[in-house]
């Protein structure tokens, strides 16, 4: 996380805009959360017709074509060289790492289970943001952070029969790489439009995702159904591009820690989608753990302020 853009030397992110500007930023970040809450159900749909490698690679390629078309149509110049390391972090975390790790996890995990584990994403993002800007969270912050982590670990161990599963390890890895991508993307969105941040990150990954997509499609069986196509289109256009555009714009407007609070609703929304779209049955532990994590993360955000 150290070898990134020139924003490394920038002061801590602060909200200095007028109230109406902050209100718009909050709305944009909230729209991003709604888009992200549909990612796991859409991925589960996509896995009905695509292999995991095919789904991740094709979604990134489609999103890159959309982003690249927008960049070309608007004749956006390439980003300055000093921003390339930061864009590489966004690409590695948001374009490649998180989609791949969560897709692998969802092969054996329910979306409800995954949603609760990924409920720690706002906390992880806030922690990495605190490290990047050099702030010193209070003791209350750390106590709440540990309580939230304990709740999630307890849930995953209880659900997996006394031990962490491979899917859980994938999900915890996804937390780290996605939080890194969110943090750096939010910082870059202060110096370039949010849509360009994710757009250039997607284009930078295209030399890797395009050949992987070709190989994966030839190696993994493909069965086109209404669910699989709809799931692929959503994770490509909705989660991978449009959702990240409004999310990064919102983070740039209101600040990374404050925007991350809005993701408290994401696990709960995903639990609702998993019931409505996938007919999953929730255990009592899932919503209770999600609510506990919500409380813990809310405390961390209040402590930071």
């Amino acid at each position: 996380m150290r070898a990134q853009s020139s924003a490394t030397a920038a002061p801590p992110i602060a909200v200095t805009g007028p109230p109406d500007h902050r209100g718009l930023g909050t709305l944009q970040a909230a729209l991003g959360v709604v888009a992200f809450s549909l990612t796991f159900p859409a991925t589960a749909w996509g896995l009905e017709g695509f292999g995991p490698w095919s789904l991740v690679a094709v979604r990134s390629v489609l999103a890159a074509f959309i982003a690249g078309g927008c960049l070309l149509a608007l004749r956006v110049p390439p980003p300055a060289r000093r921003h390339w390391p930061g864009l590489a972090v966004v690409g590695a975390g948001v374009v490649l790492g998180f989609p791949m790790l969560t897709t692998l996890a969802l092969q054996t995990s329910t979306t409800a289970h995954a949603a609760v584990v990924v409920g720690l994403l706002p906390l992880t993002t806030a922690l990495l943001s605190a490290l990047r800007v050099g702030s010193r969270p209070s003791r209350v912050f750390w106590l709440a952070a540990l309580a939230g982590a304990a709740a999630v670990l307890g849930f995953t161990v209880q659900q997996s029969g006394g031990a962490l599963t491979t899917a859980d390890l994938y999900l915890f890895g996804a937390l780290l790489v996605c939080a890194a991508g969110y943090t750096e993307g939010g910082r870059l969105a202060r110096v370039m439009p949010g849509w360009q941040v994710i757009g250039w990150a997607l284009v930078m990954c295209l030399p890797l995702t395009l050949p992987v997509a070709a190989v994966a499609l030839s190696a993994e069986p493909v069965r086109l159904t209404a669910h699989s196509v709809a799931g692929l289109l959503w994770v490509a256009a909705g989660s991978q591009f449009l959702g990240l555009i409004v999310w990064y714009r919102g983070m740039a407007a209101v600040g990374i820690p404050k925007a991350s609070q809005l993701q408290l609703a994401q696990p709960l929304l995903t639990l609702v989608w998993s019931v409505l779209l996938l007919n999953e049955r929730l255990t009592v532990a899932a919503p209770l753990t999600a609510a506990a994590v919500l409380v813990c993360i809310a405390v961390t955000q209040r402590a930071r302020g």
Side-chain angles (χ1 to χ4, degrees):
M1 290 289 294
R2 291 186 178 273
Q4 296 179 359
S5 70
S6 61
T8 301
I13 297 176
V15 180
T16 58
D20 58 340
H21 180 66
R22 296 198 298 270
L24 178 59
T26 300
L27 175 60
Q28 291 171 330
L31 290 174
V33 170
V34 174
F36 299 153
S37 71
L38 281 162
T39 299
F40 285 175
T43 299
W45 274 6
L47 287 172
E48 293 180 12
F50 296 91
W53 293 95
S54 299
L55 181 61
V56 173
V58 172
R59 71 179 272 185
S60 297
V61 168
L62 290 178
F65 284 163
I66 296 172
C70 293
L71 292 169
L72 284 175
L74 297 176
R75 299 181 179 180
V76 177
R81 186 177 297 272
R82 66 182 181 275
H83 298 317
W84 291 4
L87 289 170
V89 173
V90 175
V94 177
V95 177
L96 301 176
F98 185 79
M100 188 71 255
L101 290 170
T102 53
T103 299
L104 291 173
L106 286 172
Q107 289 188 290
T108 56
S109 171
T110 65
T111 60
H113 180 94
V116 173
V117 177
V118 177
L120 275 180
L121 182 56
L123 173 60
T124 310
T125 303
L127 286 168
L128 288 183
S129 175
L131 293 173
R132 289 285 285 132
V133 301
S135 61
R136 296 180 179 179
S138 68
R139 182 177 298 179
V140 174
F141 179 95
W142 291 116
L143 289 175
L146 290 174
V152 172
L153 285 174
F155 170 81
T156 53
V157 171
Q158 185 271 332
Q159 292 288 296
S160 56
L164 295 178
T165 66
T166 301
D168 293 323
L169 297 179
Y170 285 142
L171 291 170
F172 285 124
L175 284 174
L176 294 176
V177 298
C178 188
Y182 279 177
T183 300
E184 191 59 27
R187 291 171 61 86
L188 286 174
R190 293 183 296 160
V191 296
M192 68 174 70
W195 76 271
Q196 292 184 24
V197 173
I198 185 58
W200 286 117
L202 285 163
V203 171
M204 287 178 64
C205 293
L206 196 56
L208 175 62
T209 56
L210 191 58
V212 169
V215 173
L217 287 173
S218 63
E220 295 178 334
V222 175
R223 185 168 60 91
L224 298 181
T225 64
H227 275 184
S228 63
V229 173
L232 172 62
L233 292 178
W234 178 257
V235 293
S239 303
Q240 194 88 73
F241 187 58
L242 297 177
L244 284 168
I245 289 176
V246 291
W247 177 242
Y248 283 143
R249 287 175 64 92
M251 283 200 295
V254 303
I256 296 173
K258 189 171 183 179
S260 69
Q261 294 183 72
L262 297 174
Q263 279 198 302
L264 301 176
Q266 185 172 325
L268 302 178
L269 286 173
T270 300
L271 293 178
V272 173
W273 298 132
S274 68
V275 173
L276 295 179
L277 300 178
L278 304 175
N279 296 319
E280 290 187 2
R281 294 183 178 180
L282 301 182
T283 63
V284 175
L288 290 179
T289 305
V293 170
L294 186 153
V295 172
C296 292
I297 300 177
V299 173
T300 66
Q301 297 304 308
R302 290 177 63 86
R304 285 176 59 83

